[in-house]
Amino acid sequence: MNSLTIRKYQPGDFPLLEKWFTDEELLFQFAGPDWHLPITKEQIRRHQEKFPFKQLYIGEDENKVPVALGELIWNEPNSPRIGRLLVGDPAKRGKGIGEQLIRELIRELMNIAPSPVIFLYVLENNVSAIGLYQKLGFKPSEEEGPVMVFRGKPMKTLKMTYTVST
């Protein structure tokens, strides 16, 4: 992948979410317990109305084809924060798209809510994501992340912090 740009999510992007989220476990890993299958336009609309300081972004490749999704969160505890990160097509994962997406989201977040530190949460068992975040400079925090429940099973999250270089 040569370059990735981001733009704000628009309602017309919804078919991407339908295509990318067909598995309940993947959706939980992405969105926690807040989103459910089948994902609906109404669910996304309600999320955006309820949380005006959370903005979804689409990552597009050099041909303007959407390939990834992420969310920026500001104006709440433990923010600014990056969340809901996903490279949509499983065949494109592990090819540097996630790294580019996070770099672009960090840049955008610094325009929206400049801060010396950016946070994110990741499920403790998501080893590949943790490795990527560490490669980008995120460090595990001593502060415990929230515990989320999936199918009756508690799942710990790891809070990670990124110190913005000036």
Side-chain angles (χ1 to χ4, degrees):
M1 170 144 206
N2 294 334
S3 66
L4 181 122
T5 57
I6 61 171
R7 63 170 173 77
K8 289 183 178 180
Y9 170 88
Q10 299 297 321
D13 293 319
F14 180 75
L16 294 170
L17 303 186
E18 284 182 306
K19 181 179 172 185
W20 292 345
F21 296 113
T22 58
D23 174 84
E24 202 174 306
E25 191 169 349
L26 175 66
L27 183 61
F28 177 81
Q29 188 173 347
F30 171 78
D34 297 336
W35 293 9
H36 305 280
L37 287 180
I39 199 160
T40 64
K41 288 180 184 178
E42 181 63 18
Q43 192 177 129
I44 303 305
R45 187 190 61 72
R46 278 195 315 266
H47 173 77
Q48 291 179 316
E49 284 180 0
K50 184 176 179 182
F51 302 106
F53 298 106
K54 294 183 177 185
Q55 176 65 56
L56 291 170
Y57 284 81
I58 298 292
E60 294 180 328
D61 68 15
E62 60 275 2
N63 298 313
K64 299 293 182 200
V65 174
V67 293
L69 180 68
E71 185 174 56
L72 297 182
I73 303 159
W74 64 97
N75 203 27
E76 66 175 42
N78 296 304
S79 67
R81 188 166 78 238
I82 296 175
R84 295 191 165 90
L85 298 164
L86 179 75
V87 174
D89 180 351
K92 292 186 178 183
R93 295 179 190 151
K95 300 186 186 310
I97 296 170
E99 184 175 339
Q100 290 182 55
L101 175 67
I102 294 166
R103 288 185 195 283
E104 289 301 312
L105 289 170
I106 289 171
R107 274 195 268 284
E108 181 71 9
L109 192 52
M110 288 299 90
N111 289 330
I112 295 169
S115 173
V117 179
I118 295 173
F119 303 94
L120 63 74
Y121 292 101
V122 59
L123 291 172
E124 283 187 349
N125 66 354
N126 192 344
V127 178
S128 61
I130 291 169
L132 170 61
Y133 303 149
Q134 287 177 321
K135 176 181 175 183
L136 289 164
F138 283 86
K139 302 209 178 327
S141 170
E142 303 229 349
E143 184 181 326
E144 287 192 25
V147 174
M148 298 187 297
V149 178
F150 179 68
R151 294 182 178 154
K153 180 181 174 189
M155 304 192 72
K156 288 183 164 188
T157 62
L158 176 65
K159 180 179 181 179
M160 299 187 79
T161 60
Y162 175 85
T163 302
V164 178
S165 56
T166 52

